Amino acid sequence: MILKHPSDRGGSRSKPFERLAENASRFTSSAAFFVICLILVAVAVTLHVIGVPITWLLFVGDAMSAVTLLPVALLKNSELWAERAVQRKLDAIAAAVLEGQEGGGPGEAHPKLRSTLGREENS
């Protein structure tokens, strides 16, 4: 079984996971997420300093691992979408430039360029 990224399949970003990844990308780049991470680190350091039982230290460590792992997976999805969108635009620009250099006026590359540039602005 070959797994393809939705941007390779020509899928839309309206599916639940893609929406979740997009929202996670926005949240993890916000100041609120940074503050949450600072609080988790402060709690971990405080718990070590005051010498709480190891079970609490393990719980905080697990929480910090989850805060790290989940956004990495979701951000990778958003990164792939952005990368593929840029690549599609570059391909369309290159095709339009080559078509323009060959002369003969605008061909099929120019309308494709217009639609490719407009496609990502609407999503």
Side-chain angles (χ1 to χ4, degrees):
M1 177 162 113
I2 298 175
L3 298 176
K4 287 187 175 182
H5 190 268
S7 64
D8 292 334
R9 296 187 304 242
S12 70
R13 289 201 67 129
S14 63
K15 294 182 180 169
F17 180 76
E18 283 77 23
R19 283 194 311 266
L20 175 67
E22 183 79 24
N23 291 333
S25 179
R26 287 189 187 115
F27 177 67
T28 55
S29 63
S30 71
F33 183 73
F34 182 74
V35 169
I36 290 170
C37 291
L38 282 178
I39 290 170
L40 273 174
V41 170
V43 167
V45 169
T46 303
L47 292 178
H48 277 286
V49 169
I50 62 175
V52 297
I54 191 75
T55 55
W56 283 103
L57 295 176
L58 290 173
F59 175 74
V60 171
D62 289 345
M64 289 178 22
S65 295
V67 165
T68 302
L69 184 62
L70 291 176
V72 166
L74 294 172
L75 291 173
K76 185 63 179 172
N77 180 278
S78 291
E79 175 190 328
L80 284 171
W81 271 99
E83 179 183 318
R84 298 292 170 28
V86 168
Q87 190 60 51
R88 280 192 305 272
K89 289 176 183 179
L90 287 174
D91 290 345
I93 290 169
V97 167
L98 286 174
E99 190 175 79
Q101 286 180 343
E102 292 173 354
E108 63 183 58
H110 283 78
K112 184 176 179 181
L113 175 61
R114 281 191 195 93
S115 73
T116 300
L117 293 176
R119 180 183 311 148
E120 297 304 320
E121 293 168 4
N122 295 332
S123 45

